[in-house]
Amino acid sequence: MRSLPYYCRGEVVRGFGRGSKELGIPTANFPETVVDNLPGDITTGIYYGWASVGSRDVHKMVMSIGWNPYYKNIKKSMETHIIHTFKEDFYGEILSIVIVGYIRAEKSFDSLDSLITAIYSDISEAKEKLDLPEYQSMKDENFFRPIENKIMNGH
Ligand SMILES: Cc1cc2nc3c(=O)[nH]c(=O)nc-3n(C[C@H](O)[C@H](O)[C@H](O)COP(=O)(O)O)c2cc1C
């Protein structure tokens, strides 16, 4: 995919709330404008990369882009699961992400358990891939340090 790595940021908005409640795997949703700005070659599917909330630590993430066929959503979404345990929700904060690689296509499952198993396998794949040196360097890029950048640039 030509557009990878793809960097973007946006406010965390409320999704359907199923991620935490039904799956036990919380996901952060982006507003429609961020979803609409995705380049055409970033197709629907499951991706991995790095994520940071506000200007806090950068963590590994997995992301689902699409219509969640298991739930038959009507609106396309970008949902990020940050591989880190947060003490509190962060709705309204700015989430910065870089998508670095593709894992698989979105699909429907015959049970919630199979969907959960698939997501856990995506998480292990993401963790492993992101340890590669070419991806490790991406989490240190200036994109994730907006405040320090401003100071360095004298603003
Ligand atoms: C890594 C990852 C993989 C996913 N894979 C699928 C999938 O293959 N099919 C699907 O219907 N939904 C998939 N989902 C989306 C979940 O169904 C979704 O996170 C859940 O509906 C929660 O949505 P909500 O935050 O809007 O409540 C995936 C989510 C993540 C984070």
Side-chain angles (χ1 to χ4, degrees):
M1 271 167 224
R2 256 183 318 117
S3 303
L4 295 186
Y6 180 69
Y7 292 82
C8 76
R9 322 183 202 276
E11 189 183 333
V12 178
V13 297
R14 288 187 188 268
F16 292 102
R18 296 182 296 234
S20 308
K21 279 193 225 100
E22 285 180 26
L23 307 176
I25 305 166
T27 55
N29 289 66
F30 276 127
E32 272 180 50
T33 46
V34 176
V35 183
D36 293 343
N37 276 335
L38 271 177
D41 66 315
I42 300 190
T43 53
T44 60
I46 314 306
Y47 293 81
Y48 59 92
W50 299 104
S52 163
V53 178
S55 50
R56 289 179 247 150
D57 290 349
V58 181
H59 301 285
K60 293 175 175 174
M61 65 84 165
V62 272
M63 161 169 264
S64 161
I65 300 178
W67 288 272
N68 299 355
Y70 179 81
Y71 288 104
K72 302 189 175 68
N73 285 358
I74 292 160
K75 190 78 201 123
K76 187 173 167 186
S77 67
M78 283 169 82
E79 296 180 24
T80 308
H81 169 68
I82 304 176
I83 308 175
H84 175 76
T85 308
F86 289 88
K87 288 201 193 85
E88 278 161 29
D89 284 343
F90 44 81
Y91 292 114
E93 294 202 53
I94 300 297
L95 173 66
S96 302
I97 60 153
V98 54
I99 305 173
V100 307
Y102 176 83
I103 301 181
R104 63 173 172 90
E106 275 196 305
K107 50 187 181 194
S108 192
F109 293 91
D110 49 18
S111 72
L112 195 58
D113 272 353
S114 332
L115 169 62
I116 295 171
T117 306
I119 298 178
Y120 276 117
S121 141
D122 299 332
I123 293 173
S124 336
E125 186 171 337
K127 280 181 166 170
E128 212 177 290
K129 292 262 170 65
L130 289 164
D131 280 336
L132 295 171
E134 68 251 47
Y135 296 139
Q136 278 292 319
S137 59
M138 289 181 183
K139 76 170 193 206
D140 297 322
E141 283 177 10
N142 285 341
F143 174 74
F144 287 114
R145 293 193 297 263
I147 296 166
E148 287 152 57
N149 287 344
K150 277 189 199 144
I151 295 166
M152 274 166 22
N153 296 332
H155 297 296

